[in-house]
Amino acid sequence: MTLIDGRAIAAAITAEVTETAAKLRESGTAPTLAVLVPTDDDATAWYVRSIERAAKKVGVDCRVVQLEKPTGADVTRELDKLSADPSVHGIICQTPLPEGVTLDDVGAHIDPRKDVDGANPVSLGRLTAGLPTYAPATAAAVLEILKREQVALSGAQVAVVGRSTIVGKPAALLLLGEHATVTVCHSRTKDLAAVTKAADVLVVAVGRAHFIGADHVKPGAVVIDVGTNPTPEGGLVGDVDQAAVEEIAGSITPVPGGVGPVTTSLLLRHTVTAAQS
Amino acid sequence: MTLIDGRAIAAAITAEVTETAAKLRESGTAPTLAVLVPTDDDATAWYVRSIERAAKKVGVDCRVVQLEKPTGADVTRELDKLSADPSVHGIICQTPLPEGVTLDDVGAHIDPRKDVDGANPVSLGRLTAGLPTYAPATAAAVLEILKREQVALSGAQVAVVGRSTIVGKPAALLLLGEHATVTVCHSRTKDLAAVTKAADVLVVAVGRAHFIGADHVKPGAVVIDVGTNPTPEGGLVGDVDQAAVEEIAGSITPVPGGVGPVTTSLLLRHTVTAAQS
């Protein structure tokens, strides 16, 4: 079995982004990603710092806007401000959100031209219609990995386990756009293993540690593990029991070091693309 | 095999719509559907007349706006006007469109609150996100028929053949929202019959007469035939070879008299809903 090197893929994307960012700076534009942080949650702070570091490396300015005990209205007002600010090219908003504002509200207050994590319903609708748009970065990472690994998608049988708006559904739509035959599975799916075992490509995004085992995987299948589940020891494990499937799968993304770094690199790629247009 | 009576389902919906429309009129609002017709195509004119008749029956005013040799800009300008007109509650735009304007442009110029056929990317994005919205009426008709026929959808294996933005994809998303396990198939699907034959519910929207035959259907399956293909004799046939599958399927929607009338009744239901809000 091949372990897919997400960090190497991220590095390749990062190199491209660095080049584009440098050209933008030469022409007088400093590509800028605004990160709205409406929480003092520790895990969020850790993730925001990792985005800051990654942005710095590629020459993207990261403007972290930390809100102290905000109301829902504070969050949407700040998003409106960032949407209207010509020096900001990309906008993402971290969770958890305060009471009085939903993820849907957040999306609706991010200008689609700056919506680098595909949170606005307009972005999602354009994705569904197959129009150019920013897909949610995690879903985009799934497709990017498969393309960089040169996995044949046209006509391939793909199973996506999980139907969230930020990963499962957009990943399924992106893969459908690549002419795969896509089945979306979830908690109500009967005989999940029968469905996943028929898949040439298996994408798992359920948020349950080691949910997918040996019985779920077709021999030789490409497995993309989107899960990042914290362990009691302070580590991370995926939704796939990697030890169990390593003799069966053809290739698999590890956790950590798989989808995660690619996702961050795509957020930055989306930001420089937004700065170019 | 049961033949699903689309006209009876449409009549039941129509009865509900008639009641709501009457209440709206009592309170001083005449629910109004604007139909923009940017073509002198005969088939379109025929369809528009059928909408007018159906609207009249339920007490919805149908305002047909016929444009003579319009430019693309004429079409979007008229949609903007209708979007801004407080006496209009629902807006649909017929095809074929003149040069210089695309279906996507049309959607973007229909106010989402009046977008009774789900043409705006915002509507499609909200549908994808599982938020309240107007789904494209044909896709909504597929779900409405299955619900009125009390077909168990949670955990059911569903195959949708066809991945258009107006039927296949939104129907798949609606069915996913009902907790079905949904596979979307299309022209690049390998061994289509193997996929469709595993489906408890088979939805076909490919636009090819008699594309689905006996080999494609699981015994007892519910088959929803969205196709309306004109015959040389001036009639209509579906995408499913009904004669071939009638000994196998559990139930099927006929063409004509299946999905079509339900679609029209839902356009009108969406319009009175829009007039209520």
Side-chain angles (χ1 to χ4, degrees), chain B residues 181-198:
Chain B
T181 301
V182 182
T183 302
V184 183
C185 313
H186 44 78
S187 53
R188 311 283 184 94
T189 294
K190 288 176 191 158
D191 201 356
L192 177 67
V195 179
T196 58
K197 217 165 175 157

Side-chain angles (χ1 to χ4, degrees), chain A residues 128 163 169 176 180 183 186, chain B residues 128 163 169 176 180 183 186 189:
Chain A
T128 304
R163 53 173 164 168
K169 283 189 277 193
L176 197 55
T183 302
H186 44 77
Chain B
T128 304
R163 53 173 164 168
K169 283 191 277 192
L176 196 54
T183 302
H186 44 78
T189 294

Side-chain angles (χ1 to χ4, degrees), chain B residues 18-192:
Chain B
T18 305
E19 205 174 307
T20 312
K23 280 186 194 151
L24 280 162
R25 286 182 178 275
E26 274 170 37
S27 67
T29 300
T32 301
L33 173 65
V35 182
L36 186 60
V37 187
T39 172
D40 55 8
D41 183 79
D42 280 343
T44 304
W46 181 89
Y47 178 61
V48 170
R49 279 194 299 275
S50 79
I51 294 175
E52 279 187 286
R53 274 196 305 274
K56 191 165 187 184
K57 266 192 208 160
V58 300
V60 166
D61 288 354
C62 189
R63 190 186 303 175
V64 176
V65 181
Q66 177 79 47
L67 299 180
E68 300 301 333
K69 300 202 193 316
T71 65
D74 293 335
V75 173
T76 54
R77 194 181 317 114
E78 195 58 47
L79 291 171
D80 290 339
K81 256 171 65 184
L82 294 168
S83 290
D85 184 340
S87 71
V88 169
H89 306 102
I91 303 170
I92 59 176
C93 180
Q94 296 305 300
T95 54
L97 297 170
E99 268 186 50
V101 65
T102 65
L103 263 186
D104 309 318
D105 299 329
V106 163
H109 285 268
I110 297 176
D111 184 324
R113 288 166 299 185
K114 303 184 178 185
D115 186 23
V116 293
D117 203 16
N120 192 309
V122 172
S123 305
L124 202 55
R126 292 182 61 86
L127 177 67
T128 304
L131 297 169
T133 189
Y134 300 110
T138 307
V142 170
L143 182 58
E144 185 80 22
I145 290 168
L146 291 168
K147 285 191 156 184
R148 300 243 175 192
E149 293 291 304
Q150 299 183 297
V151 176
L153 292 172
S154 181
Q157 197 106 339
V158 174
V160 176
V161 188
R163 53 173 164 168
S164 73
T165 302
I166 55 166
V167 190
K169 283 191 277 192
L173 289 161
L174 288 170
L175 290 160
L176 196 54
E178 299 295 322
H179 315 299
T181 301
V182 182
T183 302
V184 183
C185 313
H186 44 78
S187 53
R188 311 283 184 94
T189 294
K190 288 176 191 158
D191 201 356
L192 177 67

Side-chain angles (χ1 to χ4, degrees), chain A residues 97-170:
Chain A
L97 297 170
E99 269 187 49
V101 66
T102 64
L103 264 185
D104 310 319
D105 299 328
V106 163
H109 286 268
I110 298 175
D111 184 325
R113 289 166 298 184
K114 304 185 178 186
D115 186 24
V116 292
D117 202 16
N120 192 312
V122 172
S123 306
L124 201 56
R126 292 181 61 85
L127 176 68
T128 304
L131 298 169
T133 189
Y134 300 112
T138 307
V142 170
L143 183 59
E144 185 80 22
I145 290 168
L146 292 167
K147 285 192 157 180
R148 299 244 175 191
E149 294 290 305
Q150 300 183 296
V151 176
L153 292 172
S154 181
Q157 195 106 340
V158 174
V160 176
V161 188
R163 53 173 164 168
S164 73
T165 302
I166 56 167
V167 190
K169 283 189 277 193

